[in-house]
Amino acid sequence: VKTISKLVKRSAIDGMTGYAGGGGAINVQGEEQKKLDVITNDVLKRALKFTGRMGVIASEEEDAPLEIDTKPDASYGKEVLFEEDGKYISVF
């Protein structure tokens, strides 16, 4: 939430208020994508993937739902335990 809030506050200064790709990029609802929408979508996807609890993430900025690979990253080491029950679907 803090990251997105900071992005919104700085969007005019950082030039994120225009259309993504100079315009023409359309999301699944038929709306033209804005730069801030695309960046926020990436922030949310990364945050949700990091929880290790997601099975599927679907967003209006994506053409299709994303199935999440829940294998632990090698950097975590073998001693980290992951719960295998309760995979969630997030739609935003």
Side-chain angles (χ1 to χ4, degrees), residues 8-87:
V8 170
K9 287 177 185 176
R10 295 195 46 87
S11 64
I13 297 168
D14 294 339
M16 291 187 288
T17 55
Y19 292 110
I26 306 295
N27 67 18
V28 295
Q29 293 183 335
E31 302 165 336
E32 204 159 3
Q33 290 180 316
K34 305 249 183 350
K35 292 177 188 177
L36 190 57
D37 292 338
V38 174
I39 293 168
T40 301
N41 182 64
D42 290 340
V43 169
L44 285 172
K45 284 191 316 187
R46 275 186 267 133
L48 290 168
K49 285 179 184 179
F50 184 75
T51 67
R53 304 294 302 226
M54 293 288 112
V56 176
I57 297 174
S59 165
E60 70 175 343
E61 305 303 333
E62 305 286 340
D63 292 333
L66 303 171
E67 188 172 347
I68 306 302
D69 178 17
T70 57
K71 289 183 266 180
D73 190 274
S75 65
Y76 288 124
K78 294 180 181 180
E79 66 278 355
V80 175
L81 300 175
F82 286 88
E83 294 179 22
E84 291 298 323
D85 60 338
K87 297 296 177 195

